[in-house]
Structures are given as structure tokens and as C-alpha cells.
């Protein structure tokens, strides 16, 4: 990750452009946003980063975010084994779990591909079905996909691939069921809209049969 951050920032001079504040799960969050432009071979390149401060009572947590974020929906409250966490990503890739009571990092996931200078899945949304986390996002701009994650086993599985949704449109959790909708493709052409209703039991089976350690 250090390599990724170094290459992202190298040669760019950042200046503050905005400050954003919000409260999530009783935690006050302040985000100072910085941007930079640099001309490379006649083309202007943009970079954005942020300095993030979380405060709860007398506890404080600070970190940097790199790459552009949707700051209004960057922090996702989740509960794992009865403990409350905030889930967020510091760069385009991977995620961090922060203990919502102590404001200490409980877990950091960094895809191996990113450590090698390659790209990986970008998480843009998080839902929860029981003990399972459901991620939506993409590998670049599109199409959007859906993954389920078992934190205890540290294993991911592709919901979109197995349940035949090639371009994800919507995810909902209702009545302990996962509802996903989108479009299926046949021979590279868009087909009809597809909707699936999936139980936690089906997702656990999916993880057992198709789980992988990396996305």
C-alpha cells in the first residue's frame, strides 16, 4: 500500500479545497479535502486526498484517504459478532474495519494485486445480512458487481457471477433476504432485466463452494 500511495502523490502539490463534517453511529467525523493538478506530457492529471479525523468522547482516530471518495457515504456501520464497527476504504481498493467504541483499527484488507501495482475491486457500498457483509462496486467504472464476504473466514464470493447478474443495478436487504437486480447479457448484448432473491443460507453455501481470499 505504501507503494500505491507514494506513486499516487509523487510530484503533486496538494492544497485544501473543502471541509466536510458528519456524524455516523455517534462518531463525529471531520474530513479536510485536498486536490492537486499536474501536467504530464501535455495532459492535466488530477489527484485528490483527504485528512480524516474521527472523534468519540475522549477518543480520536486520524488517517488519510487517497483517491476521490463520495464523502457523504464513505463510512458504513456494521456489526460483527455483537461488536460495532465502521467500515471504510482509505484508497480505491480494500477496506478498514474500525472498532466503533475504541476507535482502533481491528482489520485492514489490502488486495495482493494492489501491492504488486495492479488494480482490484473498488467497494462503493456495504450491506449486511446476518454475519455476512455484502459489497457492491466495480473493477473500474463499470459494470457494477456484488460480492458476499465472510469476515470470520476472510473469504469472498461473487454473487453476480453465480446468480447471473452481469450488470448490477440495486441491492436491498429485507426480511433477512438479499434482493439484487440488474441485467444479464447474452453474447455480449444486453438482455432482459433480472431480479434475484437470495437467503443467507444460499450465500453461506456460495462461500463454501466458491469462496476466494482475494477480489
Amino acid at each position: 500500500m505504501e507503494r500505491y500511495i507514494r506513486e499516487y502523490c509523487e510530484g503533486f502539490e496538494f492544497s485544501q479545497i473543502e471541509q466536510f463534517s458528519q456524524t455516523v453511529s455517534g462518531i463525529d467525523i471531520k474530513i479536510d479535502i485536498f486536490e492537486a493538478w499536474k501536467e504530464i506530457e501535455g495532459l492535466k492529471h488530477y489527484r485528490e486526498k483527504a485528512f480524516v479525523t474521527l472523534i468519540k468522547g475522549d477518543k480520536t482516530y486520524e488517517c488519510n484517504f487517497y483517491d476521490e471518495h463520495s464523502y457523504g457515504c464513505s463510512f458504513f456501520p456494521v456489526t460483527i459478532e455483537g461488536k460495532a464497527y465502521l467500515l471504510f476504504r482509505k484508497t480505491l481498493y480494500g477496506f478498514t474495519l474500525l472498532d466503533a467504541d475504541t476507535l482502533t483499527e481491528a482489520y485492514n484488507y489490502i488486495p495482493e494485486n494492489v501491492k504488486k501495482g495492479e488494480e482490484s475491486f473498488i467497494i462503493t457500498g456495504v450491506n449486511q445480512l446476518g454475519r455476512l457483509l455484502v459489497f457492491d462496486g466495480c473493477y473500474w467504472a463499470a459494470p457494477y458487481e456484488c460480492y458476499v464476504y465472510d469476515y470470520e473466514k476472510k473469504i469472498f464470493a461473487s454473487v453476480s457471477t453465480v446468480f447471473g447478474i452481469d450488470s448490477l443495478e440495486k441491492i436491498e436487504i429485507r426480511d433477512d433476504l438479499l434482493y439484487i437486480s440488474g441485467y444479464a447479457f447474452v453474447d455480449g448484448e444486453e438482455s432482459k432485466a433480472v431480479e434475484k432473491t437470495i437467503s443467507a443460507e444460499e450465500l453461506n453455501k456460495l462461500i463454501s463452494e466458491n469462496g476466494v481470499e482475494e477480489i
Side-chain angles (χ1 to χ4, degrees), residues 41-113:
E41 297 180 353
L43 297 175
K44 283 192 172 182
H45 292 255
Y46 180 76
R47 294 287 188 271
E48 184 176 298
K49 67 177 184 177
F51 182 70
V52 180
T53 304
L54 285 75
I55 300 172
K56 186 175 185 179
D58 61 351
K59 302 176 183 64
T60 301
Y61 170 86
E62 298 176 333
C63 71
N64 289 299
F65 279 13
Y66 299 91
D67 299 295
E68 297 174 62
H69 284 65
S70 298
Y71 296 105
C73 53
S74 289
F75 297 87
F76 302 93
V78 299
T79 302
I80 301 173
E81 297 179 348
K83 282 194 63 64
Y85 298 91
L86 282 187
L87 187 150
F88 55 88
R89 56 180 176 84
K90 298 178 184 178
T91 70
L92 277 181
Y93 311 111
F95 65 87
T96 294
L97 274 177
L98 189 77
D99 187 307
D101 295 318
T102 64
L103 299 193
T104 56
E105 291 187 4
Y107 183 67
N108 279 296
Y109 168 69
I110 302 171
E112 289 297 322
N113 282 351

Side-chain angles (χ1 to χ4, degrees), residues 2 4 12 22-23 30 33 47 62 92 102 122 138 140 145 150 173 176 181 189 195 202 205 215:
E2 288 79 7
Y4 177 90
F12 286 84
Q22 64 181 147
T23 300
K30 184 179 76 171
I33 305 168
R47 294 287 188 271
E62 298 176 333
L92 277 181
T102 64
I122 303 167
C138 58
W140 192 232
E145 302 180 37
D150 187 320
I173 305 291
D176 296 324
S181 60
E189 296 184 1
E195 294 183 355
E202 290 176 288
K205 182 180 178 182
I215 56 172

Side-chain angles (χ1 to χ4, degrees), residues 128-185:
Q128 185 163 14
L129 181 58
R131 64 184 183 84
L132 301 175
L133 302 180
V134 181
F135 296 138
D136 59 84
C138 58
Y139 280 92
W140 192 232
Y144 273 72
E145 302 180 37
C146 176
Y147 278 86
V148 61
Y149 178 68
D150 187 320
Y151 176 69
E152 182 181 344
K153 297 179 180 178
K154 306 295 189 293
I155 289 177
F156 303 87
S158 172
V159 178
S160 297
T161 299
V162 172
F163 288 91
I165 294 185
D166 300 307
S167 180
L168 182 70
E169 287 288 310
K170 189 176 182 181
I171 290 177
E172 286 187 279
I173 305 291
R174 300 198 310 267
D175 302 323
D176 296 324
L177 294 169
L178 169 64
Y179 294 84
I180 59 174
S181 60
Y183 296 89
F185 293 85

